[in-house]
Amino acid sequence: MPRRHRFTSPWLIAPFTALCSWVAAAEFAVAQVDEDEEFPPGLLAVYEADGRRVERIDPDIAFDWGTATADPRLSAGPFTATWTGQLLVRERGRYKIHIYLQGNIEISIDGKRVASDRRDKAGWITSNDINLSFGEKRLRVAYRREPASSGQVAVFWSAEHFPIEPVPAHLLFRDHPRPDLNKIEKGRLAWESHRCARCHRRANEIQSPNAPSLTTIRDNINLEWLVQTIRNPSTISTHARMPSFRFSNNDARAVAAFLISKSEERIIEHRNQPKDADRERVSGHLLLHSVGCLACHTIGRLGTNGPFGGGDLSNIGRKRTTDWFYTWLEDSSHLNRDHRMPTIPLSSAERHQLALALSALRDGNDFENNNTQTKSTDVHNANLVARGSELVRRSRCAACHRIDGANADLAGLPTLANDHINWEKSCIAETLGTQSNQPFYKSVNLSHIRSFVETRFGELSLLNQADRGRRVLEHLGCLDCHKRDRNQGIASIAAHIAGSIKELNGESEALIPPALTAVGDKLIDSALTDAVRGDQQA
């Protein structure tokens, strides 16, 4: 993809860029929906199977369930789905409805049936001409998957003035707000982003991504930063998703000593300080704002950090060295095998510039300078390391982190699969005792988590492949950068970023990567696969 000018990033080379097609369009991102709007976006979806009924908000109708469940709360057999809401028609004319279908479907607009058919094998059906006037039209779509059959549906349309395209999410609205469903979706995001299921494990539940691996921190982390993070994560970052265990300073130091004692040495590539370091750092500061870092990270009030964001970089220079940043940008997996960083093509000079800029991000309160000496003393204190090992075991740190010599004993922990839950003694209750070694998530909203958990009592079914792909998009932060349907990605802050630096003024469009809406209709599967792997050519 050719650059239009200096600040256009080669986004399509990122490894997660295009992990989506219309068959994976089940994006239930209601957490960003304003339920105070008269006509909130999305359609009200009602799914029923084996006598159980679930409701949620779907942004559009484009699914490929295969033989798996349409929702983990339902069984994997036959089911029905009904979507209701409003379709906004922006121009009067003759339209056709096109449906890629496997199963049974009936579509009505303003109470009139406009399409009805059944297909045992996936294929297209097309309606007769439909005369539609300008304005909102009542839309109802009813679908049924037969027993022992695969199911999929995607609704498209065409008109005299445009060719066939998916019915876009920005033209679909609901008749009434549903704050209860919005709360459940916020609870799901909190549940997954805080990795709750890594302790409260249930069959068929999709796991959240690993927390950072702690197997290679021996020589590349500031000990005092690590101790303070273990003791109280929120003092290091306002966006911290790591829980507090209310450790004392001595206990936090013991945990840090154990982690460092068990970690492996990693070679950090050393770079000589350039003679014109200040100028190089300025160039790195420009790269920091132009290659997409602020889609997932924040620096002060600039940038975004969603549920699966990369954290605050405002003081990252207190944690890492310039050489560490250079090595990280060259090969993140060398330093953290469980990282979620995208591969951003940079030259060696650009990596060094960006590393200089990142290491300069710090406030005036540096940690103590005798970090190396203190680290050596702690790691060789056998009693301190043994104490840390016990605290790591009791706190189940290895449930989220990869730690050599540590496993998480989850025996006895509730799965939260039934209604016997004492929420006042949960990880998000403010009355938690100080000696329990139980994680404490101060920033998580109890009512959101509770609303989500209480919709999932009973057995869960394995999520279908398409929706699992959507979760990957979400967990890896792909939609923090890319537009998709109503999700604006970095486009929502591009003007703010461009306005913060003189050299980027007027360049906001160059900061926005390609949209992923209907990308499956634009690229063949092999191209999508190459893009996901980061193997395609620029």
Side-chain angles (χ1 to χ4, degrees):
M1 179 179 177
R3 297 191 180 193
R4 289 190 300 169
H5 43 67
R6 177 64 184 83
F7 305 111
T8 302
S9 302
W11 292 92
L12 284 179
I13 302 179
F16 330 123
T17 303
L19 180 59
C20 54
S21 60
W22 62 261
V23 297
E27 308 202 22
F28 322 131
V30 234
Q32 300 180 14
V33 168
D34 184 359
E35 289 294 319
D36 293 330
E37 296 181 24
E38 183 179 0
F39 295 105
L43 299 173
L44 176 62
V46 178
Y47 294 82
E48 295 185 81
D50 284 342
R52 186 168 186 179
R53 169 189 171 109
V54 299
E55 294 181 319
R56 69 187 195 202
I57 306 303
D58 289 345
D60 56 12
I61 304 173
F63 303 96
D64 184 356
W65 302 287
T67 58
T69 184
D71 188 286
R73 296 167 289 182
L74 299 175
S75 66
F79 69 89
T80 63
T82 305
W83 296 271
T84 55
Q86 299 281 342
L87 168 64
L88 175 60
V89 177
R90 288 180 167 173
E91 186 172 345
R92 179 180 180 179
R94 291 198 308 273
Y95 290 75
K96 289 181 184 292
I97 302 296
H98 310 269
I99 309 160
Y100 194 75
L101 175 70
Q102 186 173 14
N104 296 265
I105 199 164
E106 180 177 295
I107 299 180
S108 300
I109 296 177
D110 277 345
K112 180 181 179 180
R113 186 171 65 186
V114 297
S116 178
D117 210 335
R118 168 183 174 175
R119 287 195 64 98
D120 295 326
K121 294 184 178 180
W124 288 96
I125 65 171
T126 299
S127 73
N128 296 323
D129 285 350
I130 308 165
N131 291 314
L132 296 177
S133 59
F134 172 82
E136 294 88 1
K137 310 297 175 185
R138 285 184 293 113
L139 177 68
R140 182 180 186 276
V141 179
Y143 173 87
R144 184 175 76 254
R145 185 177 72 183
E146 300 293 349
S149 176
S150 293
Q152 58 182 305
V153 60
V155 180
F156 298 71
W157 66 349
S158 64
E160 301 164 292
H161 48 284
F162 64 83
I164 183 172
E165 66 177 19
V167 175
H170 65 266
L171 298 182
L172 298 173
F173 302 88
R174 285 173 283 139
D175 297 317
H176 306 288
R178 286 295 302 270
D180 56 327
L181 298 182
N182 192 34
K183 181 185 287 188
I184 291 169
E185 176 63 8
K186 288 181 177 179
R188 180 190 70 81
L189 289 171
W191 173 272
E192 294 181 6
S193 62
H194 290 82
R195 303 180 173 91
C196 301
R198 288 193 165 271
C199 283
H200 304 286
R201 294 185 180 178
R202 300 173 63 180
N204 294 330
E205 182 154 30
I206 301 299
Q207 285 292 341
S208 300
N210 289 346
S213 171
L214 301 180
T215 61
T216 58
I217 64 171
R218 176 183 294 272
D219 298 312
N220 57 50
I221 198 167
N222 184 301
L223 175 63
E224 298 306 318
W225 181 94
L226 180 60
V227 169
Q228 189 168 332
T229 298
I230 293 169
R231 186 177 182 188
N232 191 348
S234 63
T235 63
I236 294 295
S237 172
T238 56
H239 303 296
R241 288 183 291 275
M242 178 176 161
S244 168
F245 291 89
R246 299 176 178 175
F247 289 132
S248 66
N249 187 67
N250 287 339
D251 283 349
R253 190 169 292 278
V255 170
F258 169 75
L259 295 176
I260 292 171
S261 73
K262 290 295 182 180
S263 68
E264 306 169 10
E265 184 178 1
R266 278 291 186 268
I267 296 174
I268 305 297
E269 186 169 347
H270 177 68
R271 301 281 296 185
N272 293 325
Q273 184 80 347
K275 294 180 180 179
D276 52 354
D278 289 341
R279 188 177 70 178
E280 293 290 278
R281 189 175 293 111
V282 170
S283 296
H285 185 70
L286 184 57
L287 283 169
L288 186 59
H289 289 72
S290 63
V291 298
C293 304
L294 295 175
C296 298
H297 298 279
T298 55
I299 300 174
R301 295 183 178 181
L302 199 62
T304 57
N305 194 350
F308 301 95
D312 184 30
L313 299 180
S314 299
N315 287 303
I316 195 68
R318 302 172 70 194
K319 176 183 179 183
R320 306 290 192 185
T321 66
T322 302
D323 291 339
W324 186 93
F325 286 122
Y326 181 87
T327 306
W328 172 258
L329 292 168
E330 184 176 32
D331 182 7
S332 301
S333 61
H334 176 66
L335 299 175
N336 177 7
R337 61 188 294 185
D338 296 323
H339 75 93
R340 295 185 294 125
M341 269 281 292
T343 299
I344 300 177
L346 298 169
S347 68
S348 177
E350 288 174 326
R351 282 196 297 273
H352 196 206
Q353 291 167 354
L354 192 50
L356 287 168
L358 289 166
S359 60
L361 292 174
R362 61 179 71 205
D363 60 24
N365 300 315
D366 279 339
F367 292 107
E368 62 187 55
N369 295 324
N370 62 339
N371 178 61
T372 302
Q373 181 180 354
T374 304
K375 184 186 297 185
S376 177
T377 302
D378 283 1
V379 169
H380 290 92
N381 184 328
N383 290 333
L384 194 66
V385 170
R387 171 66 176 160
S389 175
E390 175 61 15
L391 289 169
V392 166
R393 183 192 67 79
R394 283 163 43 186
S395 302
R396 304 182 180 90
C397 301
C400 292
H401 296 277
R402 192 187 303 268
I403 305 171
D404 286 343
N407 294 302
D409 181 7
L410 306 180
L413 289 181
T415 63
L416 307 184
N418 56 52
D419 58 0
H420 305 304
I421 302 173
N422 187 341
W423 291 104
E424 296 306 315
K425 293 185 178 180
S426 69
C427 306
I428 47 181
E430 295 186 2
T431 57
L432 181 66
T434 59
Q435 303 300 318
S436 66
N437 290 110
Q438 181 177 338
F440 175 57
Y441 296 91
K442 182 178 180 180
S443 63
V444 177
N445 187 300
L446 172 59
S447 67
H448 293 167
I449 288 282
R450 183 169 182 172
S451 295
F452 170 70
V453 169
E454 290 179 350
T455 67
R456 305 187 333 140
F457 290 155
E459 294 184 2
L460 296 178
S461 296
L462 186 63
L463 199 60
N464 63 76
Q465 281 289 99
D467 284 352
R468 290 173 70 181
R470 179 195 64 82
R471 294 289 173 89
V472 173
L473 277 176
E474 186 177 68
H475 292 172
L476 293 181
C478 306
L479 301 182
D480 291 336
C481 288
H482 297 271
K483 286 184 179 182
R484 181 165 171 81
D485 297 325
R486 287 182 174 273
N487 186 303
Q488 292 299 300
I490 200 173
S492 62
I493 61 168
H496 190 196
I497 294 173
S500 68
I501 294 186
K502 180 178 64 176
E503 293 86 347
L504 292 178
N505 285 345
E507 300 285 349
S508 60
E509 286 296 319
L511 305 181
I512 301 172
L516 298 185
T517 300
V519 71
D521 296 316
K522 304 171 187 175
L523 300 176
I524 60 175
D525 289 352
S526 59
L528 284 170
T529 301
D530 287 344
V532 172
R533 291 175 177 165
D535 292 339
Q536 86 282 19
Q537 300 298 312

